[in-house]
Amino acid sequence: MAGNENSGGMRPTAPQNNPANVSGTGGAGQSGTQAPRYISGLPYGQGQTTMQQQQSAPMAGSPTAAAATMPMPSLPSVTPLTAPTERPDEPLTAGMDFGPGPGSEALNLPKQRGLSEILSSMIDMDPTGDVQDLYDFVVSRGL
């Protein structure tokens, strides 16, 4: 029997391997099309009772449905990249720390901590001493 080519294995011509014979819902088209009549995993008889209770008290409508009908606020139109400037008296380098115009202090950004400040706050949390070594290196290089 070991040499019989029709015994076992995948046969492309078999009916179960023909895509036209297989339903997208599984099986012969019956699985997945019926509404569930019980909840599995519960003790005998309790699944059907629970399912009937759920069907007798339908859920309320979606609370976000009203929010979806609200109109979107109008946003300003996007200025094309090739459009003429809207601030002809402001230098192109305004907000940068080089060139004409105010520097980055005009942007009112929060003060950024340096690397040495960040590492010094981490030294006490490192039991290996690696952060201390890194901190010493950064300070010695003036980074």
Side-chain angles (χ1 to χ4, degrees):
M1 280 271 191
N4 187 351
E5 63 188 48
N6 293 326
S7 62
M10 156 64 166
R11 290 186 312 157
T13 58
Q16 69 269 21
N17 296 326
N18 184 348
N21 292 342
V22 179
S23 170
T25 58
Q30 295 177 7
S31 299
T33 58
Q34 300 170 357
R37 289 181 257 180
Y38 67 94
I39 299 175
S40 63
L42 297 175
Y44 181 78
Q46 189 175 355
Q48 184 176 3
T49 306
T50 304
M51 190 69 175
Q52 289 171 346
Q53 288 175 347
Q54 287 181 2
Q55 290 172 344
S56 66
M59 297 289 289
S62 173
T64 59
T69 60
M70 294 176 56
M72 289 288 294
S74 62
L75 300 173
S77 62
V78 175
T79 304
L81 190 59
T82 57
T85 181
E86 295 177 1
R87 300 178 181 186
D89 298 330
E90 184 177 77
L92 183 65
T93 55
M96 297 183 202
D97 290 328
F98 58 88
S104 61
E105 70 278 353
L107 301 175
N108 293 324
L109 296 174
K111 182 182 178 300
Q112 293 187 356
R113 297 170 54 189
L115 182 57
S116 60
E117 288 182 62
I118 294 170
L119 290 173
S120 67
S121 66
M122 296 172 59
I123 289 174
D124 294 336
M125 295 182 276
D126 177 33
T128 64
D130 291 341
V131 175
Q132 178 68 52
D133 295 340
L134 184 59
Y135 173 79
D136 294 340
F137 175 79
V138 168
V139 170
S140 70
R141 303 283 179 168
L143 300 175

